[in-house]
Amino acid sequence: DDPGIEQSLVQQQQRQLEQGMPPVPELHPLVVDDTVLMRTTRNLLAVDVHTGKRLWEVPVDDPLESLLQSAPEDQALQAQSQHLRLTVGERVLQDRTFGTLSSDGHQVYAIEDLMPSTSMMNARQLVRRGVRIMPGQPQPYNRLTAHEIRTGKLKWHLGGPSDEFALRLAETFFLGPPLPLQGRLFVLAESKDEIRLLAIDA
C-alpha cells in the first residue's frame, strides 16, 4: 500500500540481480492441512487452500511499521524514512528469521519484534549510516509467538524486554522459528552472548 516501499522493493530486486543473486522473497508460506499460512510485512494470515478465502489475520507487532507510518516533515526525517523503506525491502528479500514459519499441525510459530531492521546485522548497518531509529542501541532480543492455526489466537509468547511486563526468556534473541518434534519445540537462541539450543514445551 506504500509507493515508497514498493519502489524500495524494486530497487532491492534490481540490486540483487546486478550482483548475480536471484531476488527471491524470504517470506515463505506454509501449508498445514487445508490452510495456507503466510506473512507479509504487515501481518500473519491464514488462507483456505481450496477457495483462497482469508480465514484470519494477525497484525505484526513490529515497531518498524509505526515508524514508517509517521509523516516526516524535515529533510533529516525524510532521509530516515527512506532508510526505513529500504529496510523493509531487505526484510522481504533477505530476512529468513522474519519470513520463515513453522508448525506442529496445531499452532504456527513465528518470530516477532525484529526491530528496527531485518536482523541484528542490518540494525547495526543502519546505525553506522547515522540513522537513529530508536533511543539507544538496537535491541538484542525478539519474541517467539505461538498462534492457534484454526483461529489465529495468540496462545503464548516468549522473549521480549526485561521490563515490568517481562515474559519468560526475556532478553533472548531467537535465531528462527522452532523445529517441532514429539510435543517439544527445539529452537536456537542467543542469550547473554551465548548461542543455546532450547527445548520448549509446545
Side-chain angles (χ1 to χ4, degrees):
D1 299 335
D2 187 317
I5 291 177
E6 189 173 340
Q7 182 181 6
S8 295
L9 282 169
V10 171
Q11 292 173 349
Q12 187 75 14
Q13 287 176 318
Q14 185 60 38
R15 192 175 299 113
Q16 290 192 213
L17 283 171
E18 291 170 355
Q19 296 172 354
M21 300 167 55
V24 179
E26 292 292 354
L27 304 178
H28 302 291
L30 184 66
V31 178
V32 179
D33 295 328
D34 293 333
T35 303
V36 180
L37 302 160
M38 65 185 86
R39 72 186 315 167
T40 70
T41 58
R42 294 177 184 270
N43 57 21
L44 171 66
L45 58 93
V47 174
D48 186 285
V49 73
H50 301 293
T51 65
K53 180 182 177 181
R54 185 173 300 190
L55 302 174
W56 54 260
E57 64 179 293
V58 178
V60 172
D61 188 6
D62 186 2
L64 178 60
E65 180 66 26
S66 59
L67 289 166
L68 285 169
Q69 290 176 350
S70 61
E73 296 178 357
D74 59 35
Q75 290 185 348
L77 288 176
Q78 287 176 5
Q80 176 169 313
S81 180
Q82 184 177 359
H83 282 300
L84 288 170
R85 284 177 168 79
L86 176 63
T87 301
V88 173
E90 292 174 347
R91 164 172 285 177
V92 170
L93 293 169
Q94 298 179 10
D95 188 8
R96 290 182 184 171
T97 302
F98 178 83
T100 304
L101 304 170
S102 66
S103 175
D104 57 6
H106 305 287
Q107 300 178 143
V108 56
Y109 305 101
I111 305 298
E112 306 288 355
D113 293 347
L114 285 161
M115 193 208 72
S117 63
T118 59
S119 64
M120 293 290 285
M121 178 183 70
N122 287 332
R124 295 187 186 104
Q125 288 174 353
L126 282 177
V127 171
R128 284 199 296 271
R129 293 176 193 164
V131 179
R132 187 169 186 267
I133 297 183
M134 291 266 307
Q137 296 299 314
Q139 63 190 25
Y141 55 81
N142 54 24
R143 199 161 44 88
L144 171 62
T145 64
H147 290 269
E148 189 177 72
I149 290 179
R150 189 172 56 84
T151 64
K153 179 182 178 182
L154 178 66
K155 300 297 288 185
W156 52 258
H157 53 164
L158 304 171
S162 58
D163 56 18
E164 57 183 314
F165 305 108
L167 305 170
R168 286 175 294 165
L169 297 177
E171 300 293 326
T172 298
F173 192 90
F174 296 96
L175 300 179
L179 171 67
L181 186 63
Q182 296 181 346
R184 291 192 177 184
L185 307 173
F186 296 91
V187 60
L188 287 172
E190 182 175 350
S191 178
K192 299 178 181 178
D193 297 324
E194 291 182 352
I195 303 294
R196 302 176 180 180
L197 175 63
L198 306 179
I200 299 168
D201 188 312

